[in-house]
C-alpha cells in the first residue's frame, strides 16, 4: 500500500481523530519504537491544531497488549480461511433455510466509510435484506428521521463556522463542552471575539453552562413544547419570513399543533422563557445545535422537527451564521448515513422504499437482488435475535451487550443466538466474549479510509502503524465473506477503489435528486485527499437550503405539526427518571480511552449524580453507594450529591462495562422504549428506584495485577504500572488476609495494619523491594490520597499503609486538568491563597487549562464556587 502524504518530518502522518463527530485532524509521528507523538493538525479546518484531552492522549492508547491477534473459533485459534469460510457457510445456510431476513449485521459509527459501504452493499444488494443497522441508531437516528421529514433528505444544512458567525447560539440537549470539546472551544473563542450570546437548554447544569449567557433548566422532555412556543412567538410577533414562505409548506398545521403547548409545560420561569423567545426571535443569525438530549427520546423525531420548524418558518437556514445543526456523537456516524448503513436507508441518501432508487443501485452494483423494505432497527434487531428469528449475526466494532437498552437481555439474546461473529480489536469485550467467531480487526492508526464529520467534511484516516498479528481491515473481512458466499463485485484491492466506487454511485444518486453527490471525487488523489465538505464549496458554499431548494417532492421544505408530550408519569415503584450520558475524558465503552491512566483520573468510576434533596430523603451520604433499580435491571453506583441535577432526575454515565465495573453498567436499567419514527431508544429517561447500598465495607486497592475481585461492587481504572480498584460489599469475608491474598493474585501480604474493632484493614505486598499491591478496607468510604497511592506502585512503597503522603507533600486531589495533571485540591488552594478570579489567571499560576482546554469549564466552575462560598461565609 503506498505511503500516505507526510508533513513536518518523514514520519508524520496526517489523519483524523477516532472519537467524536467533530472530526479533528491529527498529526501522528511514530517514533519507530511503538510510540507515537500526537498533535492537532494546524491545517485541518475542523480544529486548526486544537485537540481535546481525549485526542491529545491518543498516543497512549496504541498498545497492542491484550489485542486479539488471530481469528478464533470457540476460543481456539483458527486461520483466516477457516473463520471466513465458517461465517460464509453459516450465513448462507441460514439464508437458504430461513430466508435473507434470518441474518443481520450490526455495525458501528467507528467504522470507516469504506468498511460501511462494503457491509451495506453485501447486505442490501447481495443478501437481499436490509437487516443492517448501526450503533448510530442509538445516537442520531431521530435527527435523520427529522431531516427526512422536513427536507426530504438526511441533510445537515450547516457548517461549524456558522457557530462562529452567529449572534446567538442555542445548545439544546448538548453538553458540547464535554462531548464535542473542540467545537465548544471554537464557540467560546467566537464569543470572546464578538460577544456571541450562548443559551444552554438542559435540565442538568452541565459544564457547557459555564460559558453560557443563559441556562434554561427545562423540564426533562419538554423540548418539543419549548420550540412549539417559539414557533407561536415568532408568528405572533411577525417574525416569520415572507421571503422564505414560498419555499416551505405546512406553517398553518404546524402552528395549530404548536398552540397546544403551554408555557407551564416547560418548567421555566416566565422571565427566562421570555428572554429565550425574544433573543431567538430578534436574532437573524441564530444557530440551534442539538444532540443526544434531543435525539435519545421516544419523541426525538418530533423534537427535531419542532426545532427545524422554527428555522424553516424564519428562513434561518443554510446561510452563514444560521441554521439548525445536529452534532453527531461518533467519528463516522455521518459516513454511515451516506453509505446507507441504517436499516431504513439505501445508499447515498437514496430511499429503500423507492423502486427507481432501488433499481438504480441494483443496476450500479449489478447485484442479484435488492432489499425491498427497511430492515430491523437496532432494538428490533436484538428482539429478533432473542426470539430466534435471526439465526446468524455479525457484529463489527461495537459492544451492544453493554450499550443497547435492556443490555442484560441483549447479552442473553446474543449468547443464545445460533451463530455470532464479532470483529473487534479485543476478544474480551462483553460482546466479543459471547461470539462463536472472533475476528481480529485493525484499529485506529492501522487502517486506511475516510470519515465524515458533523459538518459533512470528509477526511482521511491514514495508517501510521503496521497491523499487529493477523489483524485485517473490516472492509476486507466483509468482502472476503461476500466472495465466499459466491458474490462478485467484492474484489477491491484497497479502500481507494471502494471510495471511488462509492463516489461513482453517488453520481448516480445525484441524477435521482439525492443531496449526496460526491462524484467529483471519483478520480481524486485518495492518498493525498485533503479534508473536503460536500457538496464542494464552489457549488453551494458548503451549505444547503439557503436557496430555498429542498429535496422533497415539489422542492419545498416541510414544517411538521408537532403535538409535544412529556414523558409518561412515574410510578411510586420507580419514582426517579434516570438521565444517562458521557463524561469528559472517556469514550463509549472505554475500550480505547480506558487504556490511559491520564484519562481515567478525571472520573474513575461509575457514579450517580443526585440532587441533595433526593439524597437527603433517601439517606444517601456522599461517596457511599446507591443501588439503582428499574424493571429491567440493577446497578450499583457511587453517590455524587450535586445541585447540578434537578430533584427526581439523577444522572449516570454510560461508559462502564463487565470488564471495568460489572455493577456499574447503566444500560441494563434503560428500557427498550423507542421513538416510533426513528427507532431511536429513549436512553435518558429510564424510570428507576434508588436506595442506599448496604455496604458492610468499602475498599480501595492498587495492584500490578488485573484481578476480578470477589465482591458486589468493584470498578477498575488504569494507573501507571497497574490498576486501581474501588471495592465494596454487603458481606464480610471470613478472613481479610485470605481475601487480600486472592485479590493480589496469590501473593500474601507482606505488611499488614489492622484494627478489627473499627473494621480497618490495610495490606501491602512488597517483593524485591518494590510495591506490588496494597488494599485499604474500612466500614465507611475510604478516605485516601488515591493519586499518591497509585504513584507508589513499583517504588519501595515507603509509608504506603499510611494511605497519604507526608505532611510536606499535599494531596493534589482528583485530577481536573488531565493534560498537566493538576488536581482539584491544588486548584482550590491556589484560588484561595493567590486570590485568583479567572481561568486565565489560574492557567498562569498552575498551567491548568492551558493545553487542550477541555477542563476550562470545570476550572471556571471551581473558581466560581470557591468565591461564592467565600462570599456566603462573609455575609
Ligand atoms: S473534539 Fe476531541 S474527541 Fe472530538 S474529534 Fe476533536 S480531539 Fe477528537
Amino acid at each position: 500500500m503506498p505511503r500516505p502524504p507526510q508533513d513536518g518530518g518523514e514520519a508524520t502522518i496526517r489523519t483524523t481523530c477516532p472519537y467524536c463527530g467533530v472530526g479533528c485532524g491529527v498529526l501522528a509521528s511514530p517514533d519507530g519504537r511503538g510510540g507515537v507523538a500526537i498533535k492537532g493538525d494546524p491545517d485541518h479546518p475542523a480544529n486548526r491544531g486544537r485537540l481535546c484531552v481525549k485526542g491529545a492522549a491518543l498516543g497512549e492508547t496504541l498498545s497492542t497488549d491484550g489485542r486479539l491477534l488471530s481469528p478464533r473459533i470457540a476460543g481456539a485459534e483458527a486461520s483466516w480461511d477457516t473463520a471466513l469460510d465458517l461465517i460464509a457457510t453459516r450465513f448462507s445456510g441460514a439464508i437458504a433455510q430461513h430466508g435473507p431476513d434470518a441474518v443481520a449485521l450490526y455495525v458501528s459509527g467507528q467504522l470507516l466509510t469504506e468498511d460501511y459501504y462494503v457491509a451495506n452493499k453485501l447486505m442490501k444488494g447481495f443478501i437481499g435484506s436490509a437487516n443492517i443497522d448501526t450503533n448510530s441508531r442509538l445516537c442520531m437516528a431521530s435527527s435523520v428521521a427529522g431531516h427526512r421529514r422536513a427536507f426530504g433528505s438526511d441533510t445537515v444544512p450547516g457548517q461549524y463556522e456558522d457557530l462562529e458567525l452567529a449572534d446567538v447560539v442555542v445548545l439544546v440537549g448538548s453538553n458540547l463542552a464535554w462531548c464535542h470539546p473542540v467545537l465548544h472551544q471554537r464557540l467560546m473563542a467566537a464569543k470572546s471575539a464578538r460577544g456571541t450570546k450562548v443559551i444552554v437548554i438542559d435540565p442538568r447544569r452541565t459544564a457547557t453552562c459555564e460559558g453560557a449567557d443563559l441556562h434554561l433548566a427545562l423540564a426533562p422532555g419538554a423540548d418539543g413544547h419549548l420550540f412549539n412556543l417559539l414557533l407561536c412567538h415568532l408568528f405572533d410577533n411577525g417574525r416569520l419570513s415572507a421571503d422564505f414562505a414560498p419555499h416551505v409548506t405546512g406553517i398553518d398545521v404546524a402552528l395549530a399543533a404548536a398552540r397546544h403547548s403551554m408555557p407551564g409545560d416547560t418548567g421555566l420561569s416566565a422571565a427566562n422563557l421570555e428572554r429565550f423567545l425574544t433573543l431567538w426571535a430578534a436574532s437573524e443569525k441564530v444557530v440551534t445545535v442539538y444532540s443526544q438530549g434531543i435525539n435519545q427520546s421516544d419523541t426525538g423525531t418530533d423534537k427535531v422537527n419542532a426545532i427545524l420548524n422554527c428555522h424553516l418558518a424564519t428562513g434561518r437556514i443554510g446561510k452563514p451564521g444560521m441554521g439548525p445543526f445536529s452534532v453527531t456523537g461518533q467519528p463516522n456516524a455521518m459516513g454511515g448515513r451516506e453509505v446507507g448503513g441504517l436499516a431504513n436507508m439505501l445508499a447515498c441518501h437514496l430511499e429503500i422504499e423507492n423502486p427507481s432508487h432501488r433499481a438504480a443501485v441494483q443496476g450500479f452494483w449489478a447485484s442479484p437482488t435488492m432489499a425491498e423494505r427497511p430492515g430491523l432497527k437496532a432494538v428490533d434487531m436484538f428482539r429478533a435475535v432473542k426470539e430466534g428469528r435471526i439465526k446468524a449475526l455479525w457484529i463489527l466494532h461495537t459492544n451492544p451487550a453493554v450499550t443497547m437498552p435492556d443490555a442484560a437481555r441483549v447479552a442473553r439474546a446474543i449468547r443464545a443466538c445460533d451463530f455470532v461473529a464479532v470483529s473487534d480489536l479485543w476478544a474480551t469485550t462483553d460482546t466479543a466474549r459471547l461470539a462463536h467467531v472472533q475476528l481480529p480487526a485493525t484499529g485506529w492508526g492501522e487502517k486506511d479510509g475516510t470519515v465524515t464529520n458533523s459538518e459533512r467534511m470528509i477526511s482521511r484516516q491514514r495508517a501510521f502503524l503496521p497491523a499487529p498479528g493477523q489483524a485485517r481491515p473490516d472492509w476486507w473481512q466483509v468482502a472476503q465473506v461476500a466472495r465466499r458466499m459466491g458474490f462478485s463485485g467484492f474484489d477491491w484491492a484497497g479502500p481507494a477503489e471502494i471510495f471511488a466506487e462509492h463516489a461513482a454511485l453517488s453520481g448516480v444518486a445525484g441524477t435521482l435528486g439525492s443531496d449526496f453527490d460526491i462524484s467529483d471525487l471519483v478520480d481524486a488523489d485518495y492518498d493525498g485527499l485533503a479534508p473536503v465538505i460536500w457538496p464542494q464549496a464552489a457549488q453551494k458554499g458548503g451549505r444547503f437550503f439557503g436557496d430555498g431548494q429542498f429535496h422533497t417532492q415539489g422542492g419545498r421544505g416541510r414544517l411538521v405539526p408537532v403535538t409535544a408530550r412529556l414523558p409518561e408519569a412515574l410510578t411510586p415503584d420507580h419514582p426517579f427518571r434516570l438521565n444517562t450520558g458521557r463524561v469528559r475524558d472517556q469514550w463509549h465503552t472505554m475500550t480505547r480511552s480506558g487504556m490511559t491512566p491520564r484519562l481515567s483520573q478525571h472520573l474513575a468510576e461509575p457514579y450517580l449524580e443526585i440532587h441533595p434533596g433526593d439524597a437527603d430523603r433517601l439517606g444517601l451520604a456522599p461517596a457511599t453507594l446507591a443501588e439503582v433499580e428499574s424493571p429491567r435491571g440493577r446497578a450499583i453506583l457511587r453517590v455524587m450529591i450535586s445541585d447540578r441535577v434537578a430533584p427526581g432526575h439523577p444522572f449516570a454515565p454510560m461508559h462502564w462495562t463487565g470488564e471495568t465495573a460489572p455493577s456499574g453498567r447503566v444500560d441494563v436499567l434503560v428500557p427498550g422504549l423507542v421513538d416510533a419514527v426513528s427507532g431511536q431508544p429513549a436512553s435518558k429517561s429510564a424510570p428507576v428506584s434508588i436506595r442506599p447500598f448496604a455496604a458492610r465495607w468499602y475498599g480501595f486497592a492498587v495492584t500490578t495485577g488485573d484481578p476480578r475481585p470477589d465482591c458486589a461492587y468493584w470498578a477498575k481504572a488504569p494507573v501507571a504500572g497497574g490498576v486501581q480498584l474501588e471495592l465494596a460489599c454487603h458481606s464480610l469475608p471470613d478472613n481479610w488476609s485470605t481475601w487480600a491474598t486472592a485479590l493480589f493474585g496469590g501473593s500474601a501480604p507482606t505488611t499488614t495494619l489492622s484494627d478489627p474493632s473499627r473494621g480497618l484493614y490495610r495490606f501491602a505486598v512488597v517483593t524485591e523491594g518494590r510495591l506490588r499491591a496494597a488494599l485499604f478496607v474500612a466500614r465507611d468510604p475510604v478516605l485516601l490520597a488515591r493519586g499518591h497511592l497509585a504513584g507508589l506502585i513499583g517504588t519501595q512503597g515507603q509509608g504506603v499503609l499510611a494511605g497519604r503522603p507526608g505532611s510536606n507533600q499535599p494531596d493534589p486531589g482528583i485530577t481536573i486538568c488531565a493534560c498537566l495533571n493538576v488536581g482539584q485540591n491544588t486548584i482550590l488552594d491556589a484560588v484561595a491563597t493567590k486570590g485568583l478570579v479567572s481561568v486565565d489567571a489560574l492557567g498562569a499560576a498552575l498551567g491548568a487549562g492551558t493545553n487542550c482546554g477541555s477542563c476550562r469549564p470545570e476550572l471556571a466552575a471551581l473558581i466560581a464556587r470557591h468565591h461564592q462560598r467565600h462570599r456566603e461565609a462573609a455575609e
Side-chain angles (χ1 to χ4, degrees), residues 500-751:
E501 182 179 312
H502 173 46
L505 177 56
S506 78
V508 176
T511 64
L512 296 169
S514 172
D515 62 330
F516 183 73
D517 180 354
I518 58 165
S519 53
D520 287 0
L521 300 176
V522 168
D523 296 319
D525 169 15
Y526 186 71
D527 286 329
L529 187 68
V532 55
I533 289 182
W534 64 263
Q536 276 127 309
Q539 297 167 315
K540 280 206 165 223
R543 294 182 180 81
F544 282 97
F545 312 141
D547 57 3
Q549 295 299 309
F550 293 85
H551 296 101
T552 54
Q553 266 188 347
R556 297 165 79 186
R558 287 188 290 243
L559 276 80
V560 175
V562 171
T563 307
R565 64 176 171 83
L566 293 170
E568 296 290 316
L570 293 163
T571 65
D573 286 346
H574 298 97
F576 294 91
R577 200 175 293 288
L578 181 69
N579 183 4
T580 66
R582 294 180 168 148
V583 301
R584 190 191 76 189
D585 290 358
Q586 293 297 346
W587 180 256
H588 284 197
T589 56
M590 302 197 293
T591 49
R592 184 188 293 117
S593 57
M595 294 170 73
T596 154
R598 172 153 57 131
L599 296 184
S600 295
Q601 295 314 304
H602 178 233
L603 290 162
E605 65 177 324
Y607 63 88
L608 181 77
E609 192 170 8
I610 187 165
H611 188 270
D614 292 337
D616 211 32
R617 202 155 39 82
L618 294 166
L620 292 171
T624 58
L625 292 166
E627 208 169 335
V628 185
E629 199 163 328
S630 82
R632 302 290 167 190
R634 174 177 163 272
I636 303 171
L637 304 169
R638 184 72 62 184
V639 173
M640 181 189 284
I641 299 173
S642 145
D643 62 5
R644 292 186 294 264
V645 293
H649 292 85
F651 170 85
M654 65 175 197
H655 305 287
W656 280 267
T657 69
E659 287 299 291
T660 49
S663 307
R665 296 173 301 148
V666 300
D667 279 307
V668 302
L669 302 167
V670 174
L673 179 69
V674 300
D675 178 273
V677 184
S678 70
Q680 176 152 2
S683 300
K684 292 182 172 290
S685 54
V688 297
S689 62
I690 301 170
R691 58 181 170 271
F693 174 72
R696 298 281 302 277
W697 61 272
Y698 292 84
F700 175 78
V702 289
T703 169
T704 53
D706 191 10
R708 285 186 74 84
D710 177 20
C711 55
Y713 174 82
W714 60 266
K716 180 175 74 175
V719 297
V723 297
Q724 70 173 48
L725 293 149
E726 299 288 347
L727 308 155
C729 200
H730 42 60
S731 61
L732 292 166
D734 293 337
N735 181 298
W736 272 113
S737 183
T738 307
W739 198 89
T741 302
L743 182 75
F744 299 157
S747 299
T750 53
T751 321

Side-chain angles (χ1 to χ4, degrees), residues 203-283:
R204 199 159 60 106
R205 200 172 75 240
T206 64
T208 305
C209 299
E210 296 305 327
D213 298 278
L214 178 62
H215 170 216
L216 300 179
L218 189 74
D223 316 78
H225 284 301
L226 181 64
F227 283 88
N228 270 351
L229 290 165
L230 176 60
L231 185 66
C232 297
H233 178 88
L234 292 166
F235 177 81
D236 295 343
N237 290 276
R239 294 286 185 174
L240 302 195
S241 169
D243 291 343
F244 210 68
H247 299 295
V248 297
T249 62
I251 285 185
D252 290 346
V253 283
L255 264 172
R259 293 288 179 203
H260 293 285
S261 291
M262 295 293 141
D265 295 325
T266 64
L268 299 173
S269 69
N272 271 347
L273 179 59
E274 185 63 19
R275 212 173 145 203
F276 165 69
L277 297 176
T278 50
L279 203 49
W280 205 103
S283 311

Side-chain angles (χ1 to χ4, degrees), residues 92-125:
S92 296
I95 294 164
Q97 207 177 342
H98 304 283
D101 288 335
V103 302
L105 299 184
Y106 187 61
V107 298
S108 161
Q110 296 281 318
L111 289 180
L112 305 185
T113 299
E114 292 75 2
D115 302 322
Y116 248 134
Y117 177 84
V118 177
N120 190 56
K121 180 177 177 178
L122 168 63
M123 203 65 207
K124 293 189 180 135

